[in-house]
Amino acid sequence: MRKTSMTTIGLAVLMLSLGACGAEPDQAEPQVAAIPGAATSAAPGATGANNAAVRQLPLGATTEEIDRAYDAYYACWTRNGVPSKTLPDGSPGGPLLSYKLDPKKYQAAVDSCADQEPLNPPELDPQQNANYADDLREQKACMEGHGIKMEIRGTGDDASLWAVDTKANIAKANSDEGMEFHRQCEISAFTQK
């Protein structure tokens, strides 16, 4: 999957992915669908404009938009043989958990779905947005203005925004209000001025 173009999917997706995997924020990578070895863009013969519209996430995507795009993507994994695993506590882990437990076994199935992988908004791609670093700092300041402490991890194309890893801060970032702050701050910071 994409390393540089998926460096920041946004706090909302990051938190969704962590919840789906049962991982703590300091144990997970900020690349939600970043599966090693998968293609970075639609493969030749992809299903065309309709597929691109479904997989292209808009700037400030809602949780529902993100869920819809990833549900379609992971459904492709399942159709291609990646089973859904459950977590030790009995909650669903889905096909992403199955992949993480045995990536070699399921890589071909994941690769076959590369043309359905959700795409970040171009504004969140450092390769397409010359102002990416400044916009990321602006988003960080906006989030902190709403009382959610953030930090930028990585540099250059690998820079991404993370909620500071304290129990109270993560809880606030994951709340409905925190997710809406993230969405609004993303739109405000990354919209061309």
Side-chain angles (χ1 to χ4, degrees):
M1 305 244 169
R2 292 165 271 161
K3 183 175 186 224
T4 57
S5 65
M6 289 292 290
T7 54
T8 210
I9 261 213
L11 181 63
V13 177
L14 171 63
M15 294 305 155
L16 289 171
S17 71
L18 296 176
C21 297
E24 295 297 320
D26 60 359
Q27 297 171 333
E29 293 296 321
Q31 303 166 350
V32 170
I35 308 301
T40 62
S41 61
T47 57
N50 188 33
N51 183 48
V54 170
R55 62 190 289 234
Q56 179 64 65
L57 295 170
L59 184 64
T62 64
T63 302
E64 293 78 21
E65 290 169 318
I66 294 165
D67 287 347
R68 188 171 34 253
Y70 277 93
D71 286 348
Y73 180 51
Y74 292 134
C76 178
W77 286 21
T78 302
R79 285 190 308 274
N80 284 281
V82 182
S84 290
K85 294 275 186 195
T86 56
L87 296 169
D89 68 1
S91 60
L96 182 59
L97 178 60
S98 297
Y99 174 83
K100 286 184 173 189
L101 293 173
D102 196 349
K104 286 184 179 182
K105 181 176 181 178
Y106 300 116
Q107 189 63 56
V110 170
D111 288 346
S112 70
C113 297
D115 67 337
Q116 295 181 38
E117 178 185 2
L119 301 172
N120 269 340
E123 298 90 346
L124 299 182
D125 181 353
Q127 297 297 316
Q128 297 181 54
N129 179 359
N131 299 318
Y132 177 79
D134 291 336
D135 294 346
L136 192 62
R137 285 189 290 273
E138 186 178 330
Q139 183 184 13
K140 177 184 183 289
C142 178
M143 292 291 292
E144 290 182 340
H146 290 290
I148 301 173
K149 184 74 176 147
M150 303 298 290
E151 62 186 3
I152 296 174
R153 295 185 186 172
T155 59
D157 288 355
D158 291 324
S160 59
L161 192 61
W162 287 68
V164 171
D165 191 12
T166 65
K167 196 172 202 173
N169 195 58
I170 294 295
K172 187 169 185 175
N174 281 331
S175 70
D176 290 343
E177 181 181 50
M179 294 292 199
E180 183 57 24
F181 289 150
H182 175 267
R183 197 175 85 71
Q184 293 300 323
C185 288
E186 179 181 281
I187 292 169
S188 174
F190 285 91
T191 298
Q192 295 301 317
K193 287 123 185 118

